Amino acid sequence: MEFRVLGPVEAVGVSETLPLGGPKPRTLLAALLLDMNTAVTADRLCEVLWAGSPPASAHANVRSYAAGLRRVLNAASAGDRLSHGRQGYRLRARPDELDLRLFDDLAARGRAAMAQGDHRSAAERLRAALALWRGAAFDGVPHHSALHVEASRLEESRISVFEDHAVARIALGEYEELVPELRAQTAAHPLRERLWGLLITAQYHCGRAGDALHSYARARRTLRDELGLDPGTELRRLHQAVLARDLSPVKGPPPRSNPVRRLDPPAPDPARPAPDPAHPAPDPAHPGARPRSAGAWPICQLPTLIADFVGREKLLTRAATLLAPSNARRPPTVVPVVILTGLPGVGKTAAATHLAHRLRGTFPDGQLYVQLDSARGPRRTSAAVLADLLLSIGVPGSAIPAAESQRAALFRSKLADRRVLVVLDDVMDTSQVQYLLPGGGGCAVLITSRARLAAIPGAHLLDVEPLDDTDGRTLLDRIAGTRRFATEPEATEHLLVGCAGLPLALRVAGARLAGSPHRPVRWLAERLADEQRRLGELRAGDLAMRACVATAYHGLAPDAARVFRALGLIPTGEFPSWIPAVIMSGVAGDEEPDDSVDDILDALIHANLIRAHHVDPEGRPRYRIHDLLRAYAAERAAEEESPARRREIVGRVLDGWLHRVPAARERLLRTGADAATAWLEYERPSLAATVEYAARSGHGEQASELVAALDDICHQCSWLDDWERMARAVLERASAEGDRRRIAMAQGSLARAGVGRGRAHEAMRWFVSAIAQLDELGERRQAAYLRVHSSFAIADRGMTEDAYTDASAAVAVLSELGDLRGTVLALRSLGSVLFQQRREAEAARVLERALEAAERLRQPLALADALQALAVTEIMLGRYPAAARHLDRALIHYRGVRHRPGEAYAHYTIGRLRLAQAPERADEAFGPLTQAAEMFAELGERRGEALTTFMRGRAYAALGDRERARGSFGAALAGFRALRMPDWETRTRHELGAFGG
């Protein structure tokens, strides 16, 4: 087997690429491959798969993805490739099975050959290493930090190996063939001097000295334009050699890194004599700087440090590194600018203040601070701000020029030879900043802004994120006392959820509790749980969350404000890009958002009111609005939009879902497309929340239609929890409105979900009620479908006559209506009933009709179900080869549509076939039966678990292992009793009787 990560993540069996599934299973495989033969914990895998923000079902999803990988990998190779133990998941592979390890090995061997002067062997090995690459490393999977670091390392290694390969080929005289490849690489990596040197060398030895000089000129221009640097020593040496027509062939690899020379003058000699203390010398880090003088300097205008500041260490360290005047990545004449941006109330000013105090030693001449927030008064002009700054650094008022540009020039000149940090707090837009930037390389600028100021040249934009629960709890402890929260851990968790990591909200909550020592934490947590009053509760004295968000909101253009308000009417914080488009246009089609919608989304991102969150499996962007901002948006919608308009907005969004979900269902049923499955899985939380919200908010008709569209999807994808929740919400709304058709439809959904849960007795009550109402309403098609599902549920539970009646009636109605899909389903149900009644020959004839109809229908799942049902009958008739052929086809189709329940039953039936075909080789049945048992356990499919346990008992009995047989039959009997399957109870008791049980 081969594992490939140098390009799209793949696993290749003997003759074919294995079906790994969508991005999540591939990401899981990539993570396991990075630590192959080592246990990787589930927590670590969750972190990789969801970038530190796993959903509540993360561990269950990891188990599901791992089980799918295990099934595919184990089926394609001998042994247990992927195992799960107490320490985590372990993927077993040899180093020569992973292209990454092969690449490293070939590169090392090639370089060793080069070091020994064997350039031909070196070229062959390095060429083989490069040939392993099929694209970017880990292509097609989301890059968590661990994958990102490894991908970056590998890309750097690939380029380095290419360079070494080029050296070997130059030594072999392959100049002409190498030039086009080197030109392509210098175009892709224009800052790598070694590539330029190799290109110049190859061109020169082709007799193209002019091209070599032209390449040097391009390299020098690129390095100067991009980095402000001259070419390094080695590149300059090559240039001189070309000019002198004296460039000898390369004999071995040149140095991996070349020194560079800055364009500015060198620093003064540190060995110079000690200066006279009476005459201070210039700062050696800043050549030409004047000695510091007395007067206004040093100056510190920073706000007082916040005593209870918590967290932010990584952010502060990163910002401090970028602001340091000695940063080697930046020419010393460039003024570093860092912008801290983030949500309203996220603590940008507090972080900037803390950082500025930390940097006082780095900027000993002073720290200037300017508050630019126009929300606190009339917007100040840059000229007025400059006047204040000049006065604060000792410029007399009479010496301050009138013109804004002249004030800016004077400000720059006063700071030119000093080391000063300028803090500009609450900047609204770039125009406020352009005249306030110092000109000396010893200074730096730290900006905070609600907006994402991307237009300031050379600025580094750093996001200030909400606090995690640990830091949030620490902040609450410091404000209101540790003991207070330690005694109410559950209420504290709810309080943290209500504040959603925003320091301003946490400060307000802490202050309110500190001011009300007689109140329990639960009191405030319960108030914050109500989204409609949450922002009103987050107010204490001058601290108010609502006012903070309002500042950003009131700065929006009308269309952006309209979309922002509408987002408050959506039940989830994450949303796809089509929702704002639907809100603006009212059209529910598949068209992409137009430029005007994109501009609105960009404006909301710029204002930090939403964030670009992810890209969905179809390559479309998704966005996220913070919970407290969504609460504010809902408030503004209630205040500024009429009830009719609010209802229209929600209706448009529901129409959008109703346009997309049926289309995805058809793709899923007809082709089993991975893209459809991945999109549906991605949207599952939003769909469930949307249905529940729609039902609660009076959109019962659309909510009911959406559940009906989702029924087959929930069945195929095993969304049992969500299915039940959505159906109950729709049933409650339909009952309140007295809509009998919608009541019956919801009851039918609950019945099908109950069957999937193994709760057949409860499901039957729903089936009976739903079918009766649909019959009275004349809804023949829907009643027939429910009769089919009911027949399946009761056939093996001792109610075969009722099941036969339901299935026969359904076949008649659906055939008459020309419903081919329904006819296939009904025929399969009728065949299964006949099989339960021991009428195998009749069952086979009916199921052959079902198979013929399924072939015409061309839906993989319907075809797989018909094949498997027919295979079971063929086994009972002793037609084993035919059964095996049907099962092989069924398994392919189940895997194609990723229908895990069907796949599990196929494995069960394969085990049953092997046991019936060769009882003396009963041990061969355990492989598929074990696979089935594992899948049923993961799915919570209790009926399948009981049937598999029964069949394992028969296999043990055939092998003469009485103890294990008795144990398996006993466990199966308990399962059949719980599921109320009397026929199977009888069979199991009969088997136990043979062992005296």
Side-chain angles (χ1 to χ4, degrees):
M1 179 173 289
E2 297 177 45
F3 295 102
R4 300 173 178 173
V5 298
L6 302 180
V9 176
E10 293 179 350
V12 181
V14 176
S15 60
E16 63 177 355
T17 301
L18 304 181
L20 299 178
K24 290 292 191 224
R26 292 176 187 272
T27 305
L28 179 66
L29 178 60
L32 292 170
L33 285 170
L34 285 184
D35 292 298
M36 66 184 195
N37 302 315
T38 302
V40 184
T41 66
D43 287 340
R44 172 63 175 161
L45 294 175
C46 289
E47 182 183 354
V48 172
L49 286 168
W50 289 280
S53 302
S57 60
H59 281 261
N61 291 347
V62 167
R63 287 195 298 272
S64 176
Y65 299 144
L69 285 176
R70 184 189 305 120
R71 180 178 64 254
V72 172
L73 297 178
N74 289 353
S77 64
D80 190 6
R81 283 283 185 172
L82 179 57
S83 60
H84 182 222
R86 295 180 62 185
Q87 294 180 325
Y89 294 86
R90 187 189 309 270
L91 179 66
R92 293 175 174 82
R94 299 190 311 274
D96 63 354
E97 291 181 313
L98 176 59
D99 59 357
L100 183 157
R101 300 290 179 87
L102 285 171
F103 171 76
D104 288 340
D105 178 64
L106 286 167
R109 291 165 56 201
R111 285 165 173 159
M114 189 182 297
Q116 296 170 3
D118 186 356
H119 293 103
R120 189 161 303 282
S121 295
E124 290 173 357
R125 292 167 184 171
L126 295 173
R127 180 183 292 111
L130 293 169
L132 293 169
W133 287 74
R134 299 164 293 109
F138 306 108
D139 192 18
V141 302
H143 279 193
H144 173 267
S145 58
L147 293 183
H148 178 73
V149 169
E150 183 64 9
S152 299
R153 181 194 76 80
L154 286 167
E155 178 60 18
E156 174 63 27
S157 183
R158 184 190 69 78
I159 300 170
S160 180
V161 168
F162 176 86
E163 292 170 342
D164 288 346
H165 183 229
V167 169
R169 293 174 66 187
I170 287 175
L172 294 171
E174 298 179 9
Y175 310 121
E176 199 72 48
E177 303 93 327
L178 192 54
V179 166
E181 298 176 35
L182 284 167
R183 291 183 66 180
Q185 290 299 318
T186 54
H189 307 284
L191 302 182
R192 292 185 74 93
E193 293 191 41
R194 192 179 182 214
L195 283 173
W196 286 110
L198 291 165
L199 175 60
I200 290 167
T201 301
Q203 288 173 324
Y204 177 84
H205 287 292
C206 287
R208 295 156 57 183
D211 288 347
L213 291 173
H214 179 66
S215 293
Y216 176 79
R218 286 172 54 214
R220 181 176 58 186
R221 183 169 59 253
T222 300
L223 292 168
R224 282 185 167 181
D225 291 348
E226 296 293 330
L227 303 177
L229 305 175
D230 266 349
T233 304
E234 177 64 20
L235 207 53
R236 295 200 308 275
R237 184 193 68 76
L238 289 173
H239 179 227
Q240 292 300 319
V242 174
L243 290 172
R245 299 280 181 171
D246 186 27
L247 179 57
S248 58
V250 177
K251 298 299 184 184
R256 292 277 175 82
S257 60
N258 297 318
V260 294
R261 178 168 59 84
R262 296 188 180 280
L263 293 174
D264 52 84
D269 184 359
R272 67 186 183 282
D276 182 349
H279 299 86
D283 184 347
H286 299 277
R290 292 197 309 267
R292 296 187 186 116
S293 60
W297 308 100
I299 181 173
C300 180
Q301 298 179 331
L302 298 176
T304 304
L305 273 174
I306 299 173
D308 51 25
F309 183 84
V310 299
R312 312 292 193 204
E313 193 56 41
K314 288 184 180 178
L315 173 72
L316 298 181
T317 300
R318 170 71 172 149
T321 300
L322 293 171
L323 290 169
S326 59
N327 192 323
R329 297 183 179 181
R330 180 182 57 248
T333 54
V334 174
V335 177
V337 179
V338 168
I339 304 170
L340 301 184
T341 187
L343 305 170
V346 81
K348 300 179 289 292
T349 297
T353 301
H354 200 81
L355 175 61
H357 276 281
R358 181 182 291 190
L359 293 175
R360 287 183 66 181
T362 306
F363 299 96
D365 284 328
Q367 304 82 42
L368 302 176
Y369 176 85
V370 181
Q371 167 61 254
L372 291 168
D373 182 9
S374 61
R376 304 182 186 184
R379 178 166 175 163
R380 301 171 69 197
T381 64
S382 297
V385 173
L386 283 165
D388 287 347
L389 288 171
L390 290 169
L391 287 170
S392 69
I393 61 177
V395 177
S398 58
I400 297 176
E404 184 177 58
S405 60
Q406 293 175 337
R407 291 181 181 185
L410 180 59
F411 178 64
R412 290 194 297 272
S413 70
K414 290 294 181 181
L415 268 58
D417 299 330
R418 299 191 178 277
R419 297 180 64 175
V420 176
L421 177 65
V422 180
V423 181
L424 305 177
D425 191 20
D426 244 336
V427 173
M428 299 297 292
D429 55 53
T430 306
S431 65
Q432 288 183 294
V433 174
Q434 57 183 341
Y435 288 111
L436 306 181
L437 302 180
C443 296
V445 180
L446 177 59
I447 295 171
T448 73
S449 178
R450 295 185 179 95
R452 303 184 68 81
L453 304 178
I456 299 177
H460 298 273
L461 196 65
L462 302 183
D463 285 301
V464 183
E465 302 289 350
L467 297 175
D468 60 26
D469 283 353
T470 300
D471 286 337
R473 170 64 188 274
T474 301
L475 181 55
L476 288 175
D477 287 345
R478 292 182 180 180
I479 296 171
T482 303
R483 183 176 299 178
R484 186 87 170 268
F485 299 103
T487 58
E488 295 185 73
E490 187 175 348
T492 301
E493 287 185 17
H494 291 309
L495 187 68
L496 289 169
V497 170
C499 294
L502 293 186
L504 177 58
L506 290 161
R507 289 186 185 284
V508 171
R512 290 196 66 182
L513 291 169
S516 305
H518 59 291
R519 300 278 192 187
V521 177
R522 184 184 70 256
W523 163 75
L524 185 55
E526 289 174 350
R527 286 171 171 251
L528 294 183
D530 184 349
E531 287 192 3
Q532 294 184 349
R533 62 187 293 185
R534 184 177 296 171
L535 288 173
E537 295 293 338
L538 290 174
R539 181 182 182 88
D542 292 335
L543 297 175
M545 190 68 218
R546 182 186 282 116
C548 182
V549 182
T551 302
Y553 170 72
H554 289 302
L556 295 174
D559 279 348
R562 174 186 170 195
V563 170
F564 177 74
R565 292 193 299 271
L567 295 178
L569 302 175
I570 298 172
T572 58
E574 187 176 325
F575 58 93
S577 56
W578 62 262
I579 285 183
V582 165
I583 290 169
M584 292 299 295
S585 69
V587 178
D590 284 330
E591 71 284 343
E592 293 295 314
D594 60 21
D595 289 346
S596 64
V597 175
D598 284 340
D599 290 344
I600 289 171
L601 291 169
D602 287 345
L604 293 174
I605 291 172
H606 181 75
N608 271 307
L609 292 173
I610 66 171
R611 288 199 174 183
H613 190 51
H614 285 303
V615 174
D616 72 14
E618 296 182 344
R620 296 171 178 169
R622 294 178 65 80
Y623 301 88
R624 184 164 190 83
I625 179 171
H626 189 277
D627 288 348
L628 288 176
L629 301 188
R630 187 161 58 85
Y632 180 79
E635 281 189 0
R636 299 322 311 152
E639 185 74 22
E640 299 180 38
E641 305 283 7
S642 67
R645 169 63 181 162
R646 295 199 300 273
R647 184 174 180 82
E648 178 190 356
I649 290 170
V650 176
R652 286 183 178 184
V653 174
L654 291 171
D655 284 342
W657 285 119
L658 284 169
H659 178 85
R660 286 161 176 81
V661 170
R665 178 191 62 197
E666 289 308 307
R667 291 200 305 274
L668 184 68
L669 294 176
R670 288 197 172 279
T671 66
D674 281 351
T677 305
W679 181 81
L680 287 164
E681 285 289 351
Y682 211 86
E683 297 290 6
R684 173 163 55 121
S686 295
L687 283 166
T690 297
V691 168
E692 292 180 275
Y693 174 76
R696 288 196 310 270
S697 59
H699 296 265
E701 183 69 38
Q702 288 166 297
S704 182
E705 290 179 33
L706 199 48
V707 171
L710 285 165
D711 274 344
D712 288 333
I713 294 169
C714 290
H715 168 68
Q716 181 157 335
C717 297
S718 299
W719 295 357
L720 301 178
D721 288 344
D722 295 320
W723 200 359
E724 286 188 320
R725 281 205 324 275
M726 292 187 293
R728 289 187 188 281
V730 167
L731 178 60
E732 184 176 341
R733 169 56 61 180
S735 299
E737 295 176 357
D739 189 321
R740 294 179 63 202
R741 179 182 178 278
R742 282 162 40 207
I743 289 172
M745 296 295 292
Q747 289 175 340
S749 298
L750 283 170
R752 293 183 64 187
V755 171
R757 288 285 193 199
R759 301 196 302 264
H761 190 71
E762 173 190 322
M764 280 312 302
R765 294 200 302 271
W766 292 122
F767 274 131
V768 170
S769 175
I771 291 170
Q773 293 182 79
L774 291 171
D775 282 342
E776 291 177 15
L777 294 169
E779 297 282 352
R780 298 177 66 211
R781 186 190 306 270
Q782 294 300 334
Y785 267 98
L786 288 185
R787 282 191 165 90
V788 171
H789 298 305
S790 171
S791 173
F792 278 123
I794 64 177
D796 57 3
R797 288 172 171 84
M799 302 171 65
T800 56
E801 288 302 322
D802 291 338
Y804 179 82
T805 300
D806 280 342
S808 299
V811 168
V813 170
L814 293 169
S815 298
E816 178 190 336
L817 294 174
D819 188 330
L820 185 58
R821 177 176 172 271
T823 301
V824 171
L825 197 64
L827 286 170
R828 185 164 63 84
S829 175
L830 180 59
S832 298
V833 174
L834 291 168
F835 176 82
Q836 292 291 332
Q837 294 177 333
R838 307 290 194 275
R839 296 155 65 182
E840 289 87 355
E842 292 179 67
R845 288 193 293 273
V846 170
L847 290 171
E848 283 167 356
R849 288 172 56 200
L851 179 58
E852 184 274 331
E855 298 278 11
R856 286 188 285 116
L857 181 63
R858 300 178 65 183
Q859 286 189 358
L861 180 57
L863 182 57
D865 286 339
L867 285 164
Q868 179 167 220
L870 183 55
V872 172
T873 305
E874 301 283 24
I875 292 170
M876 295 305 296
L877 292 171
R879 302 199 288 244
Y880 302 132
R885 289 194 302 272
H886 295 328
L887 287 169
D888 285 344
R889 288 185 66 197
L891 201 53
I892 290 170
H893 289 303
Y894 281 134
R895 286 172 175 168
V897 297
R898 293 168 55 176
H899 190 252
R900 290 177 57 75
E903 187 177 347
Y905 274 106
H907 284 301
Y908 158 77
T909 308
I910 291 170
R912 185 172 177 174
L913 169 63
R914 291 182 181 177
L915 187 58
Q917 196 170 11
E920 70 281 2
R921 299 198 306 274
D923 56 317
E924 296 178 4
F926 283 109
L929 289 175
T930 299
Q931 281 185 282
E934 289 177 355
M935 296 178 74
F936 285 136
E938 289 175 7
L939 294 167
E941 170 49 35
R942 295 160 60 202
R943 176 181 179 274
E945 287 186 90
L947 289 170
T948 304
T949 304
F950 174 86
M951 206 55 62
R952 287 168 69 92
R954 280 198 167 173
Y956 284 128
L959 293 172
D961 190 337
R962 298 174 61 85
E963 282 302 313
R964 290 186 176 179
R966 184 182 293 110
S968 293
F969 286 133
L973 181 61
F976 293 139
R977 282 174 178 166
L979 293 168
R980 301 188 183 185
M981 296 171 64
D983 285 354
W984 283 97
E985 282 187 61
T986 302
R987 293 186 198 182
T988 310
R989 285 199 185 92
H990 176 76
E991 297 286 352
L992 277 170
F995 296 97

